[in-house]
Amino acid sequence: HVQLVESGGGSVQAGGSLRLSCATSGYIIRNRCMAWFRQAPGKEREGVAWSDLLGQTHYVDSVKGRFTISRDNANNMVYLQMDVLKPEDTAMYYCAGEGGSDAVLGDCGFGRWGQGTQVTVS
């Protein structure tokens, strides 16, 4: 069955960096949109960064220039490099794969989700 498993979250001070990883099994990411979402307590889920079918990357304005999404299609891995972290980046971060319409970013519909990894910035 399909699994997306995030790792790499943790607690850091403002200005620090973290690299999130998403390992998939039973799910080939090549030629699929992949994304990172986040949800802070009391707030709606937000699409942070996504990689579309053309391999182009997109970011929400609040993270542009600080976050970088990348993918390793050969190993079915997706990454989110987060630099210059701010307290407002504190949230649960979720890896998402194309396949459904739980959430839509651009032309990509996402319906495969990981369990999330917590990022706390103080």
Side-chain angles (χ1 to χ4, degrees):
H1 67 286
V2 175
Q3 277 193 308
L4 283 69
V5 180
E6 303 93 336
S7 61
S11 296
V12 295
Q13 292 187 337
S17 298
L18 283 174
R19 188 191 193 211
L20 305 184
S21 298
C22 173
T24 71
S25 61
Y27 184 82
I28 297 174
I29 72 169
R30 189 185 301 275
N31 296 325
R32 285 193 164 119
C33 299
M34 297 298 298
W36 288 93
F37 288 77
R38 67 186 179 188
Q39 188 166 21
K43 294 189 177 181
E44 293 187 354
R45 182 176 57 194
E46 174 185 42
V48 174
W50 68 102
S51 171
D52 65 23
L53 294 178
L54 298 177
Q56 295 177 329
T57 56
H58 309 269
Y59 302 90
V60 68
D61 286 347
S62 60
V63 307
K64 282 181 180 177
R66 300 188 298 120
F67 289 13
T68 304
I69 185 172
S70 61
R71 54 198 296 165
D72 177 353
N73 288 337
N75 292 299
N76 289 309
M77 295 288 296
V78 185
Y79 304 97
L80 184 68
Q81 177 66 41
M82 305 187 296
D83 297 316
V84 195
L85 282 160
K86 303 176 180 180
E88 50 263 44
D89 295 318
T90 295
M92 186 71 80
Y93 283 72
Y94 299 91
C95 176
E98 184 181 1
S101 56
D102 293 344
V104 177
L105 296 171
D107 294 328
C108 300
F110 297 94
R112 303 290 192 177
W113 300 90
Q115 83 289 348
T117 186
Q118 178 67 38
V119 171
T120 302
V121 185
S122 59

